Amino acid sequence: MSEAEKVKKPGKLSRVKAEFNKIIWPDKKTVGREAVAVAVISVLLGLLIALLDIVLRYGVDFLISL
């Protein structure tokens, strides 16, 4: 065996650990702001879908009654 073949490759676990150490975790303030943003957008989209549902329901009912 040559010298290059004798070099031990890092194991899968050590590679995972090295990648895990590269993660940049957000701070508590950032997580809170993003959670509030997700909640607000979810409520707004829910209201928009409800409004579209009401409009379409009355529109279809009007067309059926003609």
Side-chain angles (χ1 to χ4, degrees):
M1 282 189 164
S2 69
E3 191 66 32
E5 292 175 352
K6 291 182 183 179
V7 176
K8 187 175 180 181
K9 294 182 181 178
K12 190 173 192 175
L13 188 58
S14 63
R15 290 191 311 242
V16 169
K17 185 178 177 183
E19 289 296 321
F20 191 82
N21 288 332
K22 293 179 186 178
I23 298 173
I24 300 172
W25 298 101
D27 60 349
K28 194 173 185 178
K29 186 178 178 182
T30 303
V31 172
R33 280 193 320 234
E34 291 177 359
V36 169
V38 167
V40 168
I41 290 172
S42 297
V43 168
L44 290 176
L45 284 175
L47 290 172
L48 178 65
I49 291 170
L51 180 65
L52 285 173
D53 182 49
I54 291 169
V55 169
L56 290 174
R57 182 177 41 185
Y58 286 121
V60 169
D61 287 344
F62 175 74
L63 289 175
I64 290 174
S65 66
L66 290 179

